[in-house]
């Protein structure tokens, strides 16, 4: 049980904070996702229909996987992967952060472009190896469904109920996106935003 609490940590809030950061940095994407969220909730749509919001979340997981590295794995047999021989019992740690920014899989890998997910079925559930924020295989994150439900419901509420502004006349392009180094990759500096309540017309 203790392992579950440690692993659950604050991954979902970290993902929400990165998503809001990327949206503040890209006001046109913020406008687009808020238009979608408000349209669906005002018309009492299904959360499943929030296609752009889902792409925004995938793109955030690609650029900012809250857990950058896999848990260590050890193979029982010697294997060759991409020409590299990995002897049996070697401990292997996979860098999910680097995979998400690998230019051989992603065009403009360091740019926040949620649209790249609109016309593909690439997902983060562990079957598409270029996007592994929850890992893959036997040790895939067991909290994935709960974690993503928290991320979606927090974001949908924040985006529906408020418009957001940066304090102290900070310009979107100047928003600091430095990362903390550690088990969970959070923002180095907290994100401070001014909420402005939205009232449905
Ligand atoms: C956005 C939220 C979350 C992210 C991005 C995330 C990500 C990850 C990653 C990358 C791993 C390592 C998988 C691997 O080594 O391949 C992991 C493992 C794990 N996660 Fe999560 N996680 C999240 C939320 C949660 C939640 C909410 C729980 C529990 C309620 C949880 C419980 C666990 C546990 C127990 C493991 C260890 C699994 C094992 O060793 O077999 N996670 N998670």
């Amino acid at each position: 049980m203790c392992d579950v609490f440690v692993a659950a940590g604050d991954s979902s809030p970290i993902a929400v904070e990165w998503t809001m950061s990327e949206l503040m940095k890209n006001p046109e994407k913020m406008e687009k996702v808020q238009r979608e969220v408000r349209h669906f909730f005002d018309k009492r749509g299904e959360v499943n229909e929030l296609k752009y919001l889902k792409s925004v979340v995938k793109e955030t997981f690609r650029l900012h996987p809250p857990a950058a590295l896999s848990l260590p794995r050890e193979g029982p047999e010697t294997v060759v992967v991409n020409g590299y021989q990995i002897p049996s019992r070697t401990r292997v740690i996979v860098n999910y952060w680097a995979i998400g920014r690998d230019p051989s899989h992603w065009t403009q890998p360091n740019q926040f472009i949620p649209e790249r997910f609109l016309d593909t079925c690439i997902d983060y559930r562990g079957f598409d190896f270029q996007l592994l924020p929850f890992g893959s295989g036997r040790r895939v994150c067991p909290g994935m469904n709960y974690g993503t439900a928290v991320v979606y419901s927090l974001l949908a509420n924040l985006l529906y109920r408020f418009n957001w502004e940066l304090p102290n006349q900070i310009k979107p392009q100047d928003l600091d996106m430095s990362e903390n180094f550690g088990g969970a990759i959070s923002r180095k500096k907290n994100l401070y935003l001014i909420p402005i309540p939205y009232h449905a017309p």
Side-chain angles (χ1 to χ4, degrees):
M1 200 59 201
C2 184
D3 285 351
V4 172
F5 285 123
V6 171
D10 36 10
S11 305
S12 299
I14 288 174
V16 171
E17 199 181 23
W18 278 121
T19 310
M20 291 300 286
S21 307
E22 288 290 357
L23 290 171
M24 292 311 294
K25 217 170 168 54
N26 296 275
E28 72 293 353
K29 321 260 182 221
M30 171 67 96
E31 204 192 313
K32 195 167 166 183
V33 73
Q34 283 190 304
R35 214 178 317 124
E36 183 191 68
V37 169
R38 288 174 182 168
H39 177 80
F40 277 109
F41 285 114
D42 289 341
K43 302 253 177 301
R44 302 210 178 281
E46 287 291 319
V47 179
N48 284 344
E49 296 169 61
L50 294 166
K51 210 171 168 202
Y52 192 65
L53 177 65
K54 282 189 196 154
S55 304
V56 163
V57 170
K58 283 183 190 176
E59 183 68 340
T60 306
F61 278 142
R62 182 185 72 79
L63 281 170
H64 309 284
L69 304 174
S70 73
L71 298 167
R73 307 284 206 281
E74 218 179 77
E77 288 164 23
T78 298
V79 288
V80 178
V81 179
N82 276 354
Y84 294 95
Q85 192 183 55
I86 303 175
S88 64
R89 316 279 340 248
T90 304
R91 283 199 165 189
V92 177
I93 294 177
V94 181
N95 187 337
Y96 299 137
W97 184 96
I99 290 174
R101 292 179 187 238
D102 184 343
S104 60
H105 293 301
W106 305 100
T107 50
Q108 296 181 274
N110 294 318
Q111 301 299 312
F112 181 74
I113 310 175
E115 287 73 11
R116 69 173 89 237
F117 288 106
L118 283 177
D119 297 320
T120 73
C121 40
I122 294 176
D123 208 344
Y124 45 65
R125 309 196 72 80
F127 301 105
D128 301 301
F129 294 145
Q130 63 275 58
L131 183 68
L132 294 172
F134 295 95
S136 182
R138 249 183 238 191
R139 306 299 294 266
V140 70
C141 173
M144 175 167 41
N145 287 340
Y146 174 71
T148 47
V150 171
V151 170
Y152 283 117
S153 76
L154 262 173
L155 276 175
N157 272 288
L158 293 175
L159 296 172
Y160 179 86
R161 292 177 194 282
F162 302 97
N163 290 324
W164 297 94
E165 281 180 8
L166 289 165
N168 307 324
Q169 270 106 44
I170 299 174
K171 295 197 177 66
Q173 63 271 25
D174 296 334
L175 183 61
D176 188 343
M177 300 290 271
S178 315
E179 299 171 327
N180 249 337
F181 184 74
I185 307 251
S186 56
R187 283 179 59 84
K188 196 165 199 166
K189 294 185 182 152
N190 289 336
L191 178 70
Y192 291 105
L193 297 177
I194 303 169
I196 298 155
Y198 162 79
H199 302 287

